[in-house]
Amino acid sequence: MSKRMDCYLLYTVFVVLLLLGAVSQSNARPRANRPPNFMRFVTNATDFASEDYYDYIIVGGGTAGCPLAATLSQSFRVLLLERGGVPYNRPNVMSHDGFLTTLTDVNNFDSPAQSFISEEGVPNARGRVLGGSSAINAGFYSRADKQFFDNSGLNWDLTTVNQSYEWVERAIVFRPQLRTWQSAIRDALLEVGVHPFNGFTLEHKVGTKIGGSTFDRAGRRHSSADLLRYARSSNIRVAVYATVERVLLASSPSDSGNNVSAIGVVYRDQLGRFHHAMIRDRGEVILSAGSLGSPQLLFLSGIGPRSYLSTWGIPVALDQPHVGDFVYDNPRNGISIVPPVPMENSLIQVVGITEEGAFLEAASNVIPFASPIHSVFIRAPASPLYVPVTTIMEKILGPVSTGSLRLASTDVRMNPIVRFNYFSDPQDLERCVNGTRKIGEILRSRAMQDFMFREWFGSRRFRFVGVPLPVDQTNDLVMAEFCRRTVSTIWHYHGGCVVGKVVNCDLKVNGITSLRIVDGSTFNISPGTNPQATLMMLGRYMGLQMLRERMRYK
């Protein structure tokens, strides 16, 4: 292969990785899964009445919303509203090998993944399908760390926490089978001192471990949507392609002023028709629309800073200055290499949890690309060349750096504007420097020798895709500049409606009766290495807490 062709190959692969990070693709076409039996209560929103009444209305059938709905339906009538469709008839969504296609095959209004770009220019994605981001992510499953429970602002009942995790895990969590790349990463982490080896565990433990996966051994995805199998079918209705426009609020006079209460929501179906879903006495509206969707809906419902809402012409129901503030995204930095040997697809299975506030993960991918030379010199259709790429990445604890979210439009279908202010706090930058230095140690380990190309005269080197680590990894300033220059996302953004600012310790919206938020927008810290386990736990946990609350005041 010529040097020019070699450079073009590496550049093309790098562009894909820069956009999406560690992703998986193969040349086998994934097959659709048969819809599960519980889908009988999932209906297109066009089939719903123009008005109906429920005990609980949950906005967002995502990672937290599905287990929450399943739990509440045991005793009450529940409506779950999802703006996207179902995952089970989408082969790429349901397959390990369709991960890349799901994240790249996007449109403005109904693709399972909705892309957005932060004001810093970092590409990102959010779920728009039943199951939410748990239906489009890399499937790694690991419980939260102690620091999350100590600092999240909720008064956790840890017995119920553990029961809620176990409820999720019995249904959708599997032990992955390590192959070449993940095994090498495990060995390298141990070689460079990320001790001890904790084996396979779902717990967050310092050292190297194999985590759980929501992909089964056949490569089929399981998501929070699967947890709807636990719902009481007579008590639940799930509307897909139901876009909630705003929360309906009502004011009533009291001795201390006006009381503002949520009384329902307005949602629109695919045909553009409006529907009203209303809550019964002592019912609640619960936002589970995620870290972009929940603050966006509060704004559009008139809950936010008075002066800001007035600039959009939105009538102010409650002057709440902190909606859209305290938004975080855990930066991801790392390197990618082309190995000299064939490589399997693997999403994240092994993690190194360091004492320095960095989490180390890896993936291997087979990425297709078609050379333009074929189209110039050969009349026959070009066959894509499948290139193996391996990635080592680090995510930092926290983060401490905070950003903000604002409306881009009063059309709820449009992404809000978000700025995460990556590395604006020096503590985040220090953690990134520590993490990327550890990646350098991994590359120098014996376990990585087989992934180097043999050069003339017996020397070996890695063939990097994109920016390699700096040569002088002892220089703090050089390493910090690498972190800033190569920052990307690992899709673990959170905040925007955080506890103590927008919601209280029961996740009830401050100043509004009968309105609660149950999703990652309430988090001021990311739970452990990966958030999906804790978000699904949160849905189950809050459902149980709410059922107990109703029983106490029955």
Side-chain angles (χ1 to χ4, degrees):
M1 183 181 291
S2 71
K3 183 176 289 186
R4 172 178 286 184
M5 189 60 205
D6 187 50
C7 291
Y8 179 81
L9 164 63
L10 296 180
Y11 174 76
T12 303
V13 175
F14 171 62
V15 169
V16 176
L17 288 171
L18 182 63
L19 178 62
L20 296 172
V23 293
S24 168
Q25 174 71 21
S26 79
N27 55 356
R29 182 175 179 82
R31 294 177 295 176
N33 285 24
R34 179 178 297 175
N37 291 334
F38 65 75
M39 290 296 292
R40 63 186 179 275
F41 53 72
V42 179
T43 311
N44 194 300
T46 55
D47 296 331
F48 278 65
S50 60
E51 183 171 308
D52 207 344
Y53 286 79
Y54 303 87
D55 296 301
Y56 292 100
I57 299 167
I58 301 170
V59 180
T63 312
C66 287
L68 176 63
T71 302
L72 290 174
S73 73
Q74 298 306 309
S75 300
F76 297 97
R77 189 166 192 246
V78 175
L79 174 65
L80 179 62
L81 297 167
E82 168 53 46
R83 66 194 182 117
V86 297
Y88 303 104
N89 59 357
R90 293 181 178 267
N92 287 314
V93 171
M94 295 305 300
S95 168
H96 177 283
D97 292 332
F99 179 46
L100 172 59
T101 304
T102 297
L103 290 179
T104 55
D105 185 13
V106 298
N107 59 48
N108 286 335
F109 298 119
D110 65 0
S111 55
Q114 182 178 7
S115 62
F116 68 96
I117 300 176
S118 73
E119 286 194 305
E120 295 93 339
V122 176
N124 215 316
R126 56 193 293 217
R128 183 171 50 195
V129 64
L130 194 65
S133 293
S134 74
I136 65 170
N137 66 14
F140 191 74
Y141 183 99
S142 183
R143 295 185 180 189
D145 54 314
K146 183 177 183 298
Q147 184 172 345
F148 170 79
F149 291 109
D150 291 344
N151 295 289
S152 60
L154 275 67
N155 299 320
W156 296 98
D157 175 348
L158 293 181
T159 298
T160 305
V161 165
N162 288 328
Q163 291 171 348
S164 299
Y165 274 128
E166 291 166 1
W167 181 83
V168 173
E169 291 154 9
R170 284 193 296 269
I172 65 168
V173 180
F174 305 87
R175 178 172 182 165
Q177 184 174 9
L178 303 192
R179 296 177 65 188
T180 305
W181 180 241
Q182 296 292 330
S183 296
I185 290 296
R186 175 201 58 200
D187 296 344
L189 285 167
L190 294 171
E191 187 179 334
V192 302
V194 186
H195 295 148
F197 179 53
N198 294 309
F200 170 71
T201 179
L202 303 179
E203 300 289 344
H204 184 96
K205 295 182 178 181
V206 170
T208 297
K209 76 165 194 170
I210 303 166
S213 177
T214 53
F215 289 100
D216 63 25
R217 287 293 181 92
R220 292 187 297 267
R221 182 190 293 279
H222 300 262
S223 72
S224 70
D226 293 26
L227 300 174
L228 290 172
R229 74 177 66 172
Y230 293 127
R232 177 170 290 181
S233 59
S234 59
N235 271 355
I236 189 170
R237 297 200 70 190
V238 179
V240 293
Y241 299 113
T243 302
V244 174
E245 301 275 321
R246 67 185 185 279
V247 179
L248 295 173
L249 302 169
S251 296
S252 58
S254 70
D255 294 340
S256 58
N258 284 339
N259 285 332
V260 180
S261 300
I263 59 172
V265 301
V266 177
Y267 65 96
R268 188 185 297 200
D269 63 28
Q270 282 181 302
L271 301 178
R273 296 181 302 199
F274 289 101
H275 302 253
H276 289 72
M278 313 300 290
I279 56 174
R280 296 168 171 169
D281 184 42
R282 298 180 60 202
E284 290 186 38
V285 174
I286 306 163
L287 301 186
S288 296
S291 292
L292 269 62
S294 289
Q296 180 187 31
L297 275 171
L298 290 185
F299 282 143
L300 294 175
S301 304
I303 304 170
R306 181 180 299 277
S307 58
Y308 177 71
L309 295 178
S310 298
T311 64
W312 283 96
I314 298 172
V316 179
L318 178 70
D319 183 11
Q320 181 19 292
H322 297 300
V323 174
D325 290 342
F326 305 101
V327 176
Y328 310 83
D329 189 24
N330 299 79
R332 173 176 60 84
N333 296 84
I335 55 89
S336 295
I337 58 174
V338 175
V341 294
M343 190 62 54
E344 73 280 354
N345 291 320
S346 71
L347 301 179
I348 298 166
Q349 297 173 336
V350 172
V351 62
I353 300 173
T354 71
E355 297 275 14
E356 294 79 28
F359 307 136
L360 299 156
E361 302 174 337
S364 57
N365 323 283
V366 179
I367 297 178
F369 93 106
S371 167
I373 293 177
H374 286 287
S375 61
V376 173
F377 295 106
I378 302 175
R379 291 182 180 273
S383 297
L385 177 63
Y386 290 89
V387 182
V389 177
T390 57
T391 301
I392 307 172
M393 66 199 94
E394 63 85 28
K395 163 194 168 177
I396 66 168
L397 176 72
V400 182
S401 303
T402 182
S404 60
L405 176 149
R406 293 294 180 262
L407 295 176
S409 167
T410 55
D411 184 346
V412 72
R413 298 172 300 174
M414 305 302 292
N415 286 315
I417 298 168
V418 61
R419 172 177 287 274
F420 294 113
N421 291 322
Y422 299 106
F423 301 126
S424 59
D425 190 289
Q427 187 175 349
D428 291 340
L429 197 57
E430 180 183 357
R431 287 171 173 166
C432 178
V433 169
N434 292 335
T436 49
R437 279 189 176 133
K438 188 61 72 173
I439 291 176
E441 293 179 35
I442 290 171
L443 291 175
R444 293 188 292 273
S445 70
R446 292 186 302 275
M448 290 290 106
Q449 296 301 303
D450 289 342
F451 302 95
M452 303 176 79
F453 278 85
R454 187 178 297 277
E455 302 293 308
W456 292 106
F457 308 112
S459 63
R460 289 172 172 261
R461 71 177 180 91
F462 290 109
R463 184 168 294 179
F464 287 95
V465 181
V467 182
L469 287 175
V471 174
D472 183 5
Q473 293 167 24
T474 64
N475 188 314
D476 288 350
L477 294 178
V478 170
M479 294 300 287
E481 178 57 26
F482 173 84
C483 287
R484 293 191 189 95
R485 187 158 55 105
T486 63
V487 65
S488 57
T489 184
I490 201 164
W491 306 288
H492 296 172
Y493 53 91
H494 52 282
C497 301
V498 299
V499 174
K501 300 294 184 180
V502 177
V503 299
N504 67 14
C505 61
D506 295 316
L507 302 186
K508 295 178 179 179
V509 176
N510 294 324
I512 305 284
T513 305
S514 303
L515 181 61
R516 212 182 290 237
I517 302 176
V518 180
D519 61 24
S521 72
T522 64
F523 292 172
N524 59 15
I525 185 172
S526 185
T529 61
N530 299 72
Q532 76 161 341
T534 300
L535 285 166
M536 287 188 272
M537 178 277 291
L538 179 71
R540 172 65 172 177
Y541 177 92
M542 287 305 302
L544 293 173
Q545 296 295 91
M546 292 166 70
L547 291 177
R548 291 167 185 164
E549 183 179 299
R550 287 290 290 262
M551 291 299 294
R552 283 198 301 269
Y553 299 105
K554 191 170 181 179

